[in-house]
Every structure is written in C-alpha cells, then in structure tokens.
Amino acid sequence: MQAFTPDGPVCCRTLWISDVHLGSVHCKAEPLLDLLERIECQKLYLVGDIVDVWAMTKRVHWPESHTKVLRKIMEISRGHTEVVYIPGNHDASFREFCGADFGNIRIREHEIHETGLGKRMLVSHGDELDYAVRYSRLNRFIGDIAYELLMWVNRCINQLRESAGRPYWSLAKWVKVNVSQAEAAITAYQHAAVNMVRDMGLDGIICGHLHYPTVEQFDDVLYCNDGDWVENCTALIEDFSGELRLISGLDLRSPSLELVYPQAA
C-alpha cells in the first residue's frame, strides 16, 4: 500500500474526478484545486459534469477559484499527464466534440481503461443508466427543486459547523443513506451498471453522476463511483500496483484513503 505524507505529493498512476459543477454555487472548487496542486499522475480522467452548463442557464456563479481549476487542468494537460474528458449530462453540449482533441485533452464519449492488474474498466459519466431509476418528468422537476433546497440547507448547516470549528458534514449524503427511496434508486442504478458492463465482457465500471462515492464488488464486476466536488469532495485513484482507492479532498493534511480493490494474490 502506498504511503501518503501530509505535505508531500499524491503520486498515482491514474486519477478520476467528476461532477465538479463549475459555474454552480454548490461547487467546492477550493479543495479540488488543493488536490490538483498536489497530485502527480500519469493519466487524468474528467468523468463528466466538470462545467455545469445547466446551472449557468439559470444563474452564473463563477468566482476566481473556478477559473483556477480550469487553468490547473490545462496546465496538467500540457505536462506529462494524459488527460481524457468524458462529458456528462450537465455539460452534454460538449458531447458533439467527442472523438476530437482540445489541445492535449482527448474528448471521448467513454473509454476502456486497463488497470495495472489487467482489469478492463468502462469509464463513463453514467447518465445513460438513468432509465434504471424510473421517474416521470414531473418527479424529476420536483426532485431538482428538492435537491436545490437540500443543498441550500446543507450550506447553512456547514457554515454554522465551520464557525463552531466542526468538520464538514454532508446532509445530502445522509439523506441518500437513510431515506429508503433514495437508497433503492442508488441500488437499482448500480445493478444496471453492473449488468451493462458484464454484458460487454468487461471487469467493471468507473462512473460519477450519482454524487455517491463508493467501490463495491458485485461477484465478477467491480463498481466504482468517484463521487463529486459538490457534496463529498472525493476522487478515485489507481496506485502503481493497480489498486483503486477513494481519496477525500476535504482534509489534505491527513488524506482519507480507503483500500477498495485488493491486489491479486
């Protein structure tokens, strides 16, 4: 297992980040920028919803930190890191450029990534699996309003916690874990993802979209969700032995790492 020192660089083979939602008031660009300043990787996947075009049609929220994130990504792409951008549903307007290159950044609809252990993983934003969570347009509209309210309450709670010297706590994550309907929707989504990649003859999937970071083995298929930079501030990394781990950007002085993909015996 690779050691991560409090002030040293985070060195890894591959990094996956998604659901940054630049341009949205909910984006937590500062911890992501801190991570990008420390990260050293051979390959970087931007797994969709990097820029929230949807949110900006209603209200543009673009502080300097959002510009710095984009500049840092461009800087990384000009170095020795291979960068692949897979647009999501909130930045779907960029999907028309799939197959093209933007400078040193390759834009693709999806990608097959082979880990250091030889596992072939589908990398996709994941919104194509929304069919597994059945809801009408009205329910989706109500859900969007409820999510905005939930995130507003989440910000208020954490402003109070910060003033009291308490760590960040995600109300949205608590709801997803403790509300039965939300839990059932996440489970249905995961099963749809597993069945899709199993039919494709692949070993697993790495996606975003749900804002629910987790890595779980479903028999012969590995399901990975790298999380988001709105609620959880997490990324997925592959170290040089081929292991996959979740890393938290909320406490970079003591990175929270979880071993999620054991080495082959």
Side-chain angles (χ1 to χ4, degrees), residues 2-21:
Q2 182 178 353
F4 289 81
T5 58
D7 298 308
V10 178
C11 299
C12 59
R13 184 172 184 260
T14 316
L15 170 70
W16 291 266
I17 61 173
S18 74
D19 298 270
V20 179
H21 293 275

Side-chain angles (χ1 to χ4, degrees), residues 90-250:
H90 282 250
D91 49 8
S93 54
F94 295 106
R95 284 177 170 164
E96 64 179 289
F97 301 107
C98 285
D101 296 344
F102 179 73
N104 296 323
I105 299 176
R106 295 191 291 117
I107 306 174
R108 300 293 184 266
E109 184 177 357
H110 53 75
E111 187 98 339
I112 305 297
H113 174 82
E114 184 169 337
T115 72
L117 294 174
K119 303 298 182 181
R120 299 174 68 240
M121 308 287 292
L122 174 68
V123 183
S124 176
H125 179 65
D127 58 296
E128 69 271 28
L129 296 163
D130 279 346
Y131 69 86
V133 184
R134 302 183 185 278
Y135 46 71
S136 66
R137 289 185 178 180
L138 177 60
N139 287 338
R140 179 182 295 182
F141 176 71
I142 294 172
D144 288 344
I145 293 175
Y147 183 76
E148 289 294 322
L149 177 60
L150 183 67
M151 293 306 298
W152 178 81
V153 174
N154 189 78
R155 287 203 310 274
C156 292
I157 289 174
N158 280 289
Q159 286 171 358
L160 293 173
R161 289 177 64 88
E162 183 178 5
S163 64
R166 302 292 300 278
Y168 177 83
W169 177 77
S170 176
L171 173 62
K173 183 176 181 179
W174 183 91
V175 169
K176 289 176 182 177
V177 170
N178 291 279
V179 176
S180 60
Q181 287 184 321
E183 184 180 10
I186 291 170
T187 299
Y189 178 94
Q190 292 173 340
H191 287 166
V194 167
N195 289 333
M196 179 179 71
V197 294
R198 181 179 287 125
D199 290 343
M200 295 172 67
L202 300 175
D203 298 298
I205 182 171
I206 299 171
C207 60
H209 190 49
L210 285 192
H211 295 199
Y212 192 76
T214 188
V215 175
E216 188 173 351
Q217 190 78 40
F218 292 85
D219 296 325
D220 57 333
V221 174
L222 182 66
Y223 171 87
C224 306
N225 191 296
D226 61 17
D228 63 277
W229 294 86
V230 171
E231 304 165 25
N232 300 288
C233 296
T234 57
L236 185 74
I237 65 172
E238 177 194 4
D239 69 18
F240 292 102
S241 67
E243 296 178 71
L244 300 181
R245 312 161 185 247
L246 287 171
I247 182 171
S248 170
L250 290 176

Side-chain angles (χ1 to χ4, degrees), residues 24-141:
S24 165
V25 69
H26 305 310
C27 171
K28 294 181 175 61
E30 291 83 1
L32 174 58
L33 186 60
D34 289 341
L35 177 64
L36 292 176
E37 292 287 354
R38 282 190 58 186
I39 204 76
E40 294 180 6
C41 58
Q42 295 178 351
K43 194 165 188 175
L44 168 62
Y45 285 99
L46 307 171
V47 197
D49 289 1
I50 304 302
V51 177
D52 196 330
V53 178
W54 282 12
M56 290 193 293
T57 60
K58 303 173 184 177
R59 174 192 175 190
V60 177
H61 176 78
W62 197 277
E64 180 62 20
S65 59
H66 292 204
T67 301
K68 288 181 178 179
V69 167
L70 289 183
R71 285 176 178 166
K72 186 60 183 178
I73 291 172
M74 296 301 297
E75 177 187 330
I76 291 172
S77 74
R78 290 192 293 269
H80 299 290
T81 300
E82 180 183 358
V83 180
V84 180
Y85 169 40
I86 298 171
N89 54 313
H90 282 250
D91 49 8
S93 54
F94 295 106
R95 284 177 170 164
E96 64 179 289
F97 301 107
C98 285
D101 296 344
F102 179 73
N104 296 323
I105 299 176
R106 295 191 291 117
I107 306 174
R108 300 293 184 266
E109 184 177 357
H110 53 75
E111 187 98 339
I112 305 297
H113 174 82
E114 184 169 337
T115 72
L117 294 174
K119 303 298 182 181
R120 299 174 68 240
M121 308 287 292
L122 174 68
V123 183
S124 176
H125 179 65
D127 58 296
E128 69 271 28
L129 296 163
D130 279 346
Y131 69 86
V133 184
R134 302 183 185 278
Y135 46 71
S136 66
R137 289 185 178 180
L138 177 60
N139 287 338
R140 179 182 295 182
F141 176 71

